[in-house]
Amino acid sequence: MTLLALETSCDETSAAVVRDGQILANVVSSQIELHAEYGGVVPELAAREHLKNLPPVAQAALHAAAISPAQLDAVAATQGPGLPTALLVGFKAAQAMAFALNKPFLGINHHEAHLYSPWISGAPLAADFSKFQPNISLIVSGGHTLLVLVAAELKHRVLGGTIDDAAGECFDKTGKLMGLAYPAGPVIDRLAAEGNPRAYNFPRPLQHDANDDFSFSGLKTSVRYFIRDNPALLDDRQKVCDLCASVQAAIIEVLVAKTIRAAKRHGVRCVTASGGVTCNRALRNELERTCHHHGFSLRLADKALCTDNAAMIGILAERKLRAGLAPAEPDAEIQPGWRLE
Ligand code: KG4
Ligand code: ZN
């Protein structure tokens, strides 16, 4: 079965061709530089960029996969959640293409696709669900922080999420307070590697609360006050590295502690993680270390698939078709606020 998948929910324009669980092509055009000037994603600009970039990106994916549109068995796109005008571009393009080819069309929940992205690995990248185990899945990105129980393939339940800022947002906003470029997550990752994570002590919000929710805005505020009271610190590179390491440690400690606790509580033996923040080396190392310590197997999304991509959309769409789930109605609409349940 061969599918074309499109992803345009935020600031990455992506198209992928997937065949029988294999990623034949996954082309991603990032708009990070465009939005960096504004310190965050500007929805209208994102939509215009998607409009401009989607045709060449889709062409490039088909070309790289050596697949012609006539060879496609289905077309899929992210239906939500995401920025409405951005979502519309990929969703309507995929719908029109499916209509023109007279093939099934699938609208995919972006977060559900993240849930299964850790099962895509290897070179060339391919999904391997033969090793699937019930798991606790952590999704951490610029817009979302979710802890999900994945009891079986295509069967999941959200346990908790952030009640304010997402983990990636916390990286980006605290980095901005330090004067770092947007998105600050990767910069903090680099600087933190040269810093002392115990140099400064920041709160670990909700770490010991009984629920599976997260909160990062208090941590951001405490970094704001810390910098206000110690402005000279920003002129000392080593202290900035220490600050980055300390903030990063606070974020990671909460994420890892609550993930492990949920895994124990639900009796699963496997932990998975995906989303842009999963690129963070300290988070990857800490998850490795802690999962090993507690006897959990760990599947981290491949670094190429942590940030938004159409490959994960295509893989989930193919699983759904194979499982006999009905394609979307030809006139289905985007669901910008589609929450994973
Ligand atoms: O998944 P993603 O590409 O887009 C969203 O759906 O939000 O994630 C982007 C987020 C940004 O907040 C960015 O700062 C963060 O992921 N990020 C990182 C790293 N790489 C990306 N955060 C920490 N360390 C990184 N290495
Ligand atoms: Zn995402």
Side-chain angles (χ1 to χ4, degrees):
M1 189 184 287
T2 310
L3 288 93
L4 173 71
L6 306 180
E7 152 66 42
T8 63
S9 65
C10 189
D11 61 343
E12 262 95 27
T13 314
S14 179
V17 180
V18 167
R19 173 188 276 167
D20 301 335
Q22 302 226 5
I23 314 293
L24 300 186
N26 180 43
V27 179
V28 182
S29 167
S30 171
Q31 307 176 4
I32 282 184
E33 281 176 26
L34 172 77
H35 300 287
E37 196 183 325
Y38 304 93
V41 178
V42 184
E44 183 58 29
L45 285 184
R48 288 187 204 191
E49 278 297 295
H50 287 312
L51 273 176
K52 191 169 83 191
N53 294 337
L54 189 59
V57 164
Q59 290 274 14
L62 288 166
H63 183 77
I67 292 289
S68 71
Q71 291 172 281
L72 296 172
D73 298 302
V75 186
T78 306
Q79 189 166 11
L83 302 170
T85 51
L87 280 170
L88 268 178
V89 179
F91 188 77
K92 288 294 161 191
Q95 224 170 23
M97 199 160 167
F99 176 77
L101 295 169
N102 196 23
K103 298 291 180 192
F105 167 73
L106 288 100
I108 295 294
N109 181 297
H110 180 91
H111 290 145
E112 191 179 0
H114 270 303
L115 282 186
Y116 298 98
S117 62
W119 302 93
I120 309 170
S121 61
L125 286 167
D128 184 2
F129 290 102
S130 66
K131 299 195 183 87
F132 180 88
Q133 300 178 55
N135 62 79
I136 289 292
S137 192
L138 173 70
I139 304 179
V140 268
S141 71
H144 301 274
T145 307
L146 287 174
L147 211 44
V148 187
L149 170 65
V150 189
E153 262 189 81
L154 305 180
K155 187 164 177 269
H156 56 261
R157 178 161 64 86
V158 173
L159 303 173
T162 183
I163 56 173
D164 40 56
D165 291 351
E169 210 174 345
C170 188
F171 272 102
D172 295 340
K173 288 181 174 172
T174 53
K176 192 174 179 186
L177 295 169
M178 298 177 215
L180 306 178
Y182 171 88
V187 188
I188 291 183
D189 183 340
R190 276 197 302 278
L191 296 176
E194 299 172 47
N196 173 8
R198 280 179 289 277
Y200 310 110
N201 189 24
F202 291 108
R204 270 72 169 153
L206 304 188
Q207 180 162 333
H208 301 292
D209 282 41
N211 57 47
D212 294 310
D213 288 331
F214 298 95
S215 163
F216 290 106
S217 82
L219 171 56
K220 174 189 65 191
T221 307
S222 106
V223 173
R224 182 192 304 279
Y225 290 146
F226 179 78
I227 292 175
R228 183 197 63 189
D229 298 339
N230 302 275
L233 183 147
L234 296 184
D235 299 326
D236 182 329
R237 187 175 187 280
Q238 186 53 50
K239 288 189 173 150
V240 172
C241 291
D242 290 344
L243 179 57
C244 286
S246 302
V247 172
Q248 178 177 275
I251 299 172
I252 290 176
E253 198 180 303
V254 180
L255 292 174
V256 174
K258 296 200 87 161
T259 303
I260 296 292
R261 201 181 60 184
K264 283 186 183 167
R265 179 167 8 96
H266 290 279
V268 301
R269 304 304 316 150
C270 177
V271 167
T272 75
S274 62
V277 178
T278 313
C279 289
N280 186 276
R281 291 168 298 170
L283 174 61
R284 295 177 88 87
N285 290 340
E286 195 52 23
L287 279 169
E288 292 275 5
R289 195 187 66 75
T290 320
C291 283
H292 181 76
H293 178 77
H294 291 281
F296 294 119
S297 65
L298 174 68
R299 290 195 75 111
L300 295 168
D302 188 282
K303 280 200 172 181
L305 302 180
C306 283
T307 47
D308 290 345
N309 63 87
M312 65 179 188
I313 305 296
I315 289 293
L316 177 57
E318 189 184 11
R319 296 305 288 178
K320 291 202 163 203
L321 273 182
R322 286 191 186 281
L325 299 180
E329 293 298 321
D331 59 350
E333 294 298 344
I334 55 164
Q335 295 191 48
W338 191 1
R339 288 169 69 97
L340 202 62
E341 305 257 309

